[in-house]
Amino acid sequence: MGAGFSGLYMLHRLHGLGLSARVYEIGDGVGGTWYWNRYPGARCDVESVEYSYSFSADLQQTWDWTERYPSQPEILRYAEHVAGRFGLLRDIRFRTRVTRAVYDEAAARWQVETDRGDRVSARFLITAVGCLSAARVPGFPGVETFAGESYHTGRWPHEEVDFAGKRVAVIGTGSSGIQIIPVIAERAARVTVFQRTPNFTIPAWNRPLPPEEARRVKDDYDEIRRSMRASLFGIAAAFNPDSALEASERERREELEKRWAYGGPAFLGVFGDVAVDARANEIVAEFVREKIRETVDDPRVAETLSPRDHPIGTKRPCFDTDYYATFNRPDVHLVDLRRTPIEEITPTGLRTSESAYEVDTIVYATGYDAMTGPLLAIDVRGTGGAELRAKWAAGPRTYLGLMTAGFPNLFTITGPGSPSVLSNMFVSIEQHVDLIAGCLRHVAERGARTVEPDPGAEDAWTRHVGEVAEQTLYPRADSWYLGANVPGKPRVFMPYAGGVGVYRETCDEIAARGYEGFVLSP
Ligand code: NAP
């Protein structure tokens, strides 16, 4: 299920194993999140030379990225290129949503149904549905009454949206809002930004990628990929293991300024204790607030933009182009929803507890039902008709984020309980796909019909995922990592916070011990 980067690579590996496979994809093209997120300014936060597949030396040597961070159109072209180059399109059914998947114990097969009336059966069912694909518009009263145009960043139309001369409201200041706001501000007559929680954002400093720089990376790819795989977040940038608390004031300043000038995710690797020690974290957080005060002319606006309710890095960090400076424009206004919440959407705009705002266009940059949302939207039933929704009612339970007990032969690429969203997704996707391919080979060699986790191994892993998160500052933020953005969703930290390097070692050891914790049935 899914023809984003995980589904595409999985299909390629299945071809290599000599298995027949079919991919169902809701969109009418490949690319997953990059197919849907066509909003102006959409760009990846990971550097292009690292946000790419490593499985084919030929691919990584022949594909040329043009910018430091790839734009959405360039990433989509890359996905289309990969699909064509590796002969994947013939096995993908587009415009087709899987609605139901029921495990038939007697046949040891999954019976899969789609919204186009397909009824197919498969030995293995692999979900490649993405972690951030179930877009969410909050249930503001009156949403459906708005007479102007409205868009969600994650469901952006294929046609260009014309903002010229328009009065635009943007709700939400996560990664998507922070990317789209400066671009809309350039085009619209007026932009009003409705902010509930201010976010920390670091300059990306995007720029063209000179061919000689790309050449150097290509010459050194083996080493770069090795260090990415062994790292915490799946990126090659050096992580400074030193403590912020032990550094002198001058050393701190130098390191922070150096990383700010470099930009992008490397900033968060500034000191080794930022993610685990509140005092170290506050040093880095205050440095960013100082930058906000330096950049934003109006001190009240600067203060409203300054995050104070969560440690830096505990909500997904954002990386921007001119975000804070955009609030110096006379045609851009910031509304603090903590002080004056939205009460309703009206036919002509929005009304907060304080004022009414007349607008032509509303942009919802309001995020996703992350990680579990896309999978639980499907009616998945395992052994004995057990519902996945019921099993995960108090939070996802998995072994390694890869499988869940009672659902034999069902694999979840970058599922909850794996590093997934806390990493460069390409690193996590390739590792999971390779692990699944290895497991399928193991099952075949043993002559087994089914594989699923031992419930004890699953319990221990689920506990471990929670314990690792508790050692960090992550649980201190109301983030989508914890499901806090979706009313009623259980508050459970979903990704594995131990880092991609440690996670990979753990998986490799488990595989080397004959897939310890997995149960094979004849
Ligand atoms: P998000 O980070 O979840 O941000 C949603 C925003 O909408 C938040 O500011 C949130 O406020 C606000 N919001 C939600 N419900 C609201 C309500 N009822 N009233 C007012 N405001 C509300 O979503 P996103 O920006 O789409 O990003 C999601 C994830 O996608 C990112 O964290 C990142 O992993 C990925 N992404 C990556 C890139 C990239 O690589 N460049 C770009 C875009 C997205 P609160 O914070 O108060 O909940």
Side-chain angles (χ1 to χ4, degrees), residues 194 335 337 340-344 350-357:
F194 294 85
V335 176
L337 297 180
T340 60
I342 294 174
E343 296 199 329
E344 64 171 340
L350 297 83
R351 200 169 53 72
T352 65
S353 58
E354 191 175 69
S355 306
Y357 298 86

Side-chain angles (χ1 to χ4, degrees), residues 33-34 37 39 41-46 132 136 138-140 152-154 171-179 194-199 315-319 337-338 342 365-368 421 478 480-481 484-485:
T33 196
W34 299 105
N37 280 268
Y39 61 86
R43 186 179 291 288
C44 185
D45 290 336
V46 177
L132 294 156
R136 259 194 91 248
F140 299 118
H152 188 285
T153 48
I171 307 177
T173 51
S175 300
S176 306
I178 281 173
Q179 285 191 327
F194 294 85
Q195 169 193 279
R196 187 164 69 181
T197 310
N199 250 308
K315 280 172 110 94
R316 163 67 153 74
C318 303
F319 306 96
L337 297 180
R338 293 274 179 221
I342 294 174
T366 44
Y368 299 85
V421 291
D478 287 336
W480 57 254
Y481 298 142
N485 62 325

